[in-house]
Amino acid sequence: MKFFNYRVVIFLLCSAFGIVFTMPSLLQTEFGQKVSLGLDLQGGMHIRLGVKTDEAVQNKIKSISTSLKYFAQKEGILIEDFRFDESSLRFILLDSDEISKLETEIATIKGLVVNKDSELNYVITLSEPEIEVVKDMAVAQAVETIRNRLDQFGLAEPTVIRQGLSDIVVELPGIKTAEEERQARELIARPANLELMAVDEIRADQVYVLSEQKAREYGSVIMPDSRGDEIKHLLKELPILTGEDVVDARVVFDETNQPVINFTLSSAGARIFGDFTAKNIGNRLAIVLDGKVYSSPVIRERIGGGSGQISGGFSVMEAGNVAIALRSGALPASVEMLEKRSVGPSLGADSIKASMIALISGFALVIIFMIFYYGYAGIISNLALISNIFIILAVMAMFGATLTLPGMAGIVLTVGMAVDANVIINERIREFLKEGKSIAKAIEDGYSNAMRAILDANITTLLAAVILYAYGTGPIKGFAITISIGILASMITAILGTHGVYLALSQKISRDKNHKKWFGIREG
């Protein structure tokens, strides 16, 4: 019989795959994908953030105000004294014939409570259940936004999870220098609140003599320039568009080779932008980012296509971070730092050392026992075991997974399960050999009888790992990933691979007729 059968070929290919793709992690080469170490193994930064959920409610009121004002302008509905504050929106409808049309539009917005001081004086607030929904969604959206930003920033396996009603825990492995920490904090906490706002052309020259309160009475707001707070702009309070309408943002270089940010609006945003610019030719449109005016160009013509540009003396890195923040979306409300602590790499080194001692010593004892008890069959099992570990590490490296302490526990558990599978197979083969069956028949019946018990154990463990991954967080997911990869790898190595090796060697084993050497069966 030829040595190479399809089982052996698959086993050798998987082993080669494991060895090749594990080398960059083991040798820490500059090329190739590597397994990343988690916060508990390499140190890093642990941050607890608090989301200002009341701001999310204010922003919701502001967003509704913008939508209703755009609708009124589009439909030619006359409204005056349009104002909003932290909790309500107020305006006066001038034509009672438009009540039905206006209230039909208001009814399409979920969670509003409409009151009237008189027939035409509207006061709109959010219902209590809607306020709770907005606060809950603000925290959930902040978690997703921060996770997207960190992913795009290139940090390896950051952990971003919700804690309680309004807190978010962020763990950043590998953050070691003060500069890395500063960049990460800026990226996480940047609101990235982009607004396109109309300049109050009528009173713009009064911006340095108006108070904030007086400006609000005119429906305007005073905002500082990005070049310095001493430069001020008087803008209409209601933005034309917000960052919610941005679908893409990229860093490009202008004609002076300075980095600027080109952004693209959604189709709905592009339509609103086009309508506004068409009606305001000759006026200025301010581009506001996080409460600072970056530019206020004059509208020369209708601007279609739904794209714009932010320029403001950015460095390349700043422009890149702003673009990432815009692509990831604005935070629904600002966040505040509640707790920050660094996990030193020395703790991680101690953990790695203790874990490696446990892993290597346990692994060595298993190898010695398998050889001592099963002879050559133990060596075959050990080869499958070693191949299994290489495959686990290679798959983790390819997908950029992070190895944590629970993940190392998952590897140790996988080693135990792989050994268990080989013990069951070897024992079945030994039983059939003792019954007097031929080598080939004992191998086939041994695998056939052992398969059900092995599959039951592996499938139930795999299902548990899937549930842990679906509902777990952070280290629990790492444990689930590691053990899932290990189980699938052991199916290839411990079952398919060793079976192929036995089939390839069956004639040699038959000729040898030394069951003690091959399977550790003592005579008598």
Side-chain angles (χ1 to χ4, degrees):
M1 180 181 290
K2 293 181 179 178
F3 181 80
F4 291 103
N5 54 63
Y6 81 90
R7 291 183 175 90
V8 170
V9 171
I10 293 174
F11 176 59
L12 291 177
L13 288 176
C14 289
S15 300
F17 161 81
I19 293 170
V20 169
F21 286 95
T22 301
M23 286 300 112
S25 300
L26 293 181
L27 303 178
Q28 288 299 301
T29 58
E30 293 183 357
F31 57 86
Q33 295 279 348
K34 302 182 188 67
V35 176
S36 303
L37 299 181
L39 185 69
D40 51 358
L41 293 180
Q42 66 166 321
M45 191 164 62
H46 173 99
I47 300 173
R48 186 163 65 89
L49 303 166
V51 180
K52 296 179 180 178
T53 53
D54 288 340
E55 274 190 20
V57 177
Q58 298 172 23
N59 291 336
K60 180 71 175 179
I61 292 286
K62 190 175 184 180
S63 174
I64 292 171
S65 302
T66 302
S67 298
L68 284 180
K69 188 169 185 180
Y70 174 73
F71 172 78
Q73 291 174 340
K74 182 181 175 184
E75 298 296 326
I77 299 174
L78 298 178
I79 288 176
E80 72 170 14
D81 202 19
F82 198 97
R83 299 172 185 276
F84 68 93
D85 54 27
E86 292 80 4
S87 60
S88 64
L89 162 66
R90 299 167 182 270
F91 58 86
I92 300 172
L93 180 64
L94 296 182
D95 187 354
S96 59
D97 292 341
E98 304 287 359
I99 290 178
S100 176
K101 185 187 292 184
L102 180 66
E103 294 189 353
T104 299
E105 177 64 16
I106 292 174
T108 63
I109 304 175
K110 184 182 175 184
L112 296 186
V113 177
V114 180
N115 295 305
K116 293 182 180 179
D117 294 338
S118 65
E119 183 186 11
L120 299 178
N121 285 13
Y122 286 79
V123 180
I124 298 176
T125 58
L126 294 177
S127 65
E128 286 300 322
E130 183 66 14
I131 289 174
E132 295 305 315
V133 169
V134 169
K135 289 182 176 180
D136 182 68
M137 289 183 64
V139 181
Q141 185 181 338
V143 169
E144 287 303 314
T145 301
I146 292 172
R147 184 177 292 138
N148 288 338
R149 289 180 183 181
L150 293 173
D151 286 344
Q152 294 191 41
F153 188 62
L155 286 173
E157 290 281 326
T159 300
V160 185
I161 57 174
R162 181 172 183 167
Q163 187 177 74
L165 293 177
S166 61
D167 292 355
I168 297 173
V169 171
V170 181
E171 290 186 344
L172 304 172
I175 297 290
K176 294 182 175 66
T177 66
E179 178 62 19
E180 290 174 338
E181 180 181 325
R182 185 189 64 78
Q183 287 184 32
R185 288 173 60 182
E186 283 185 1
L187 191 64
I188 291 171
R190 179 186 285 276
N193 185 21
L194 176 68
E195 294 175 307
L196 304 184
M197 305 176 76
V199 174
D200 187 345
E201 300 289 357
I202 298 175
R203 303 175 186 84
D205 56 351
Q206 304 174 29
V207 63
Y208 292 101
V209 297
L210 285 176
S211 65
E212 293 282 352
Q213 179 61 34
K214 195 67 178 175
R216 286 185 66 84
E217 291 178 6
Y218 293 128
S220 300
V221 62
I222 299 173
M223 285 197 171
D225 194 277
S226 62
R227 294 165 293 179
D229 291 348
E230 66 279 5
I231 305 174
K232 297 179 180 178
H233 301 262
L234 187 65
L235 310 177
K236 294 291 187 182
E237 192 172 18
L238 274 181
I240 310 303
L241 288 169
T242 67
E244 292 180 359
D245 298 293
V246 174
V247 295
D248 192 20
R250 304 281 171 185
V251 177
V252 297
F253 292 87
D254 62 12
E255 60 276 4
T256 62
N257 206 30
Q258 293 298 310
V260 297
I261 302 154
N262 277 354
F263 61 86
T264 306
L265 299 170
S266 64
S267 57
R271 186 171 61 253
I272 295 172
F273 191 55
D275 290 347
F276 174 81
T277 53
K279 295 175 182 176
N280 289 273
I281 293 173
N283 294 331
R284 287 172 291 172
L285 176 71
I287 298 176
V288 183
L289 182 65
D290 294 338
K292 292 185 181 296
V293 178
Y294 279 77
S295 60
S296 55
V298 176
I299 301 170
R300 303 292 183 192
E301 59 184 354
R302 181 185 184 278
I303 303 174
S307 61
Q309 188 178 84
I310 306 173
S311 58
F314 294 111
S315 67
V316 175
M317 182 171 291
E318 286 173 339
N321 288 344
V322 171
I324 289 173
L326 288 175
R327 284 199 302 270
S328 306
L331 289 175
S334 58
V335 296
E336 58 182 340
M337 188 82 69
L338 301 178
E339 178 188 357
K340 180 182 77 68
R341 54 187 166 86
S342 297
V343 179
S346 59
L347 177 60
D350 292 342
S351 300
I352 292 174
K353 184 179 179 182
S355 302
M356 290 305 293
I357 290 174
L359 181 63
I360 292 172
S361 57
F363 194 70
L365 288 174
V366 167
I367 286 179
I368 293 170
F369 171 79
M370 293 295 287
I371 295 175
F372 173 77
Y373 195 75
Y374 291 110
Y376 283 9
I379 295 176
I380 295 172
S381 300
N382 289 335
L383 290 175
L385 197 59
I386 294 170
S387 176
N388 193 0
I389 292 178
F390 274 118
I391 293 173
I392 293 173
L393 294 176
V395 173
M396 292 181 70
M398 282 192 67
F399 289 97
T402 298
L403 182 62
T404 61
L405 276 177
M408 294 186 78
I411 293 177
V412 174
L413 183 58
T414 302
V415 168
M417 293 187 65
V419 170
D420 185 54
N422 280 292
V423 167
I424 294 173
I425 293 169
N426 290 337
E427 286 298 327
R428 294 289 182 274
I429 293 175
R430 283 160 56 118
E431 287 173 6
F432 289 119
L433 287 175
K434 288 177 180 176
E435 291 175 3
K437 291 187 178 181
S438 66
I439 291 293
K441 184 65 175 171
I443 291 172
E444 285 305 314
D445 290 350
Y447 273 91
S448 177
N449 278 269
M451 192 62 68
R452 182 171 179 178
I454 296 171
L455 286 179
D456 284 350
N458 284 350
I459 291 173
T460 51
T461 307
L462 191 60
L463 288 174
V466 170
I467 293 171
L468 283 176
Y469 183 81
Y471 295 101
T473 57
I476 303 298
K477 283 181 181 286
F479 175 79
I481 289 174
T482 306
I483 199 167
S484 299
I485 297 171
I487 289 172
L488 296 176
S490 74
M491 301 286 278
I492 297 173
T493 57
I495 299 176
L496 192 73
T498 57
H499 193 180
V501 173
Y502 281 128
L503 290 178
L505 297 174
S506 61
Q507 290 185 357
K508 181 178 177 58
I509 298 173
S510 297
R511 288 195 302 271
D512 207 8
K513 297 180 180 179
N514 189 339
H515 295 170
K516 183 176 185 299
K517 182 175 75 175
W518 284 96
F519 297 99
I521 298 175
R522 273 66 179 174
E523 300 296 335

